Each structure stands twice: as C-alpha cells, then as structure tokens.
Amino acid sequence: MENHDQEAGTPTPAIPPPGDTPAERFGALVTERARLAGYNLDTGAGGRSELARDIGMSPSAVGRMLSGKTLPMPQQLEPIARAVKTPIRTLLVMAGVISETSWPTEAYSDVRSASEQTPTVSPEAAADAWGIREPGIRAMLLGTIQHAISLQVEADNRTDGDDRGEAIARG
C-alpha cells in the first residue's frame, strides 16, 4: 500500500524501507525514488553516474549512500531530493533519520515576521520573564528600556534626515 506525499504528489511508501540503520533505510528509499524518477541504477547502465552528476556528488559517494553505508552531508539533501523528485522531509522521515514530529508538515501560523509584530510585552513583564528581581537591577533595566523607547519614538517622529543620531547623542 502506498499513499501520496502532500508536498509533491509523489508516492510515499506506507512503511519505511528495509534496513537496520537510518543510512540503510535512507539508501533504500533514495534508490527506490531514483528508479521512480527514471534513473536506471542497474550495473553498467549509467544511472548512478547520472544521479551523481545531477546531485553534485562523486559516483563512489552515491554508491556508498545507495548501499546504506553513509548518509549524505546536509548540503547534499536538497540536490538529492530534487533529483529523486521527493521532498527532503519525506526522505528524512521515511528513512527514520528524523521523527515525524521533528519537522511538522504545517507552517507555523503563529510565528510572524518582525515587521508584522507589535510589542506585546511590557518592560515589567520582560524583567519578570528574565528573572530580574533585585530592586536596583530591575530599576536600572526598566529605566534603560523606557529611555530606549522614548529615543525610538523621537527618532520615528523626526522628519529631517540631517539630524539623525541627535537623540542618541543627547541620551
């Protein structure tokens, strides 16, 4: 039984390929996917050399990877995935190199870029989160944060670009 990989529409084996180690399972999976992608990996057919050329590895390194003796370097994963028309995540999860939960399929919808974020934490809450309890240190931190905020507001409100840095110099 096989299902289809959501990211690329490619068949995904229902069970991991055979092998005792992640390298063996990865090699078996890449071998299967390379054949599905049209590489003839039979001895003397030239498919291993083609695959090696397409992913930028030496033929001997590809041979070691396909036979399950070694795992590729991280920078080689993208070219391998592209050549065998399988998302990197599928290769790593199906081979048991990483767990299903270590690379979720859904995007992190609750993570926003810095340009989309608005300050949601007060200076006091930041001091609490950082464990700053000593009154003198806490007062210094809160004063510094308040000063930085006022300087930023002043800089944001300034329209003339010639006096940049003036607010900082006064601080």
Side-chain angles (χ1 to χ4, degrees), residues 70-145:
T70 62
L71 281 169
M73 299 294 292
Q75 67 268 23
Q76 296 166 324
L77 291 172
E78 190 172 342
I80 292 167
R82 210 175 17 254
V84 301
K85 298 176 176 57
T86 305
I88 296 170
R89 181 185 185 282
T90 299
L91 293 175
L92 297 175
V93 170
M94 289 303 302
V97 175
I98 62 170
S99 71
E100 179 79 26
T101 58
S102 66
W103 189 341
T105 55
E106 291 98 30
Y108 292 102
S109 60
D110 60 338
V111 176
R112 298 176 294 161
S113 73
S115 63
E116 296 173 354
Q117 295 178 13
T118 56
T120 57
V121 69
S122 69
E124 291 81 8
D128 291 341
W130 294 329
I132 308 295
R133 294 178 307 278
E134 199 282 318
I137 298 171
R138 189 175 178 95
M140 181 191 67
L141 174 64
L142 297 177
T144 302
I145 292 171

Side-chain angles (χ1 to χ4, degrees), residues 13 17 24-34 90-92 94-95:
E24 290 170 341
R25 291 187 301 270
F26 187 86
L29 182 59
V30 171
T31 298
E32 172 195 333
R33 294 300 175 98
T90 299
L91 293 175
L92 297 175
M94 289 303 302

Side-chain angles (χ1 to χ4, degrees), residues 6 9 12 34-35 42 57 63 82 84 86 88 96 110-111 119 140 142 151 154 157 160 167:
Q6 293 176 342
T12 301
R35 290 183 195 280
D42 295 336
M57 292 172 66
R82 210 175 17 254
V84 301
T86 305
I88 296 170
D110 60 338
V111 176
M140 181 191 67
L142 297 177
L151 289 174
E154 188 177 325
N157 290 332
D160 184 6

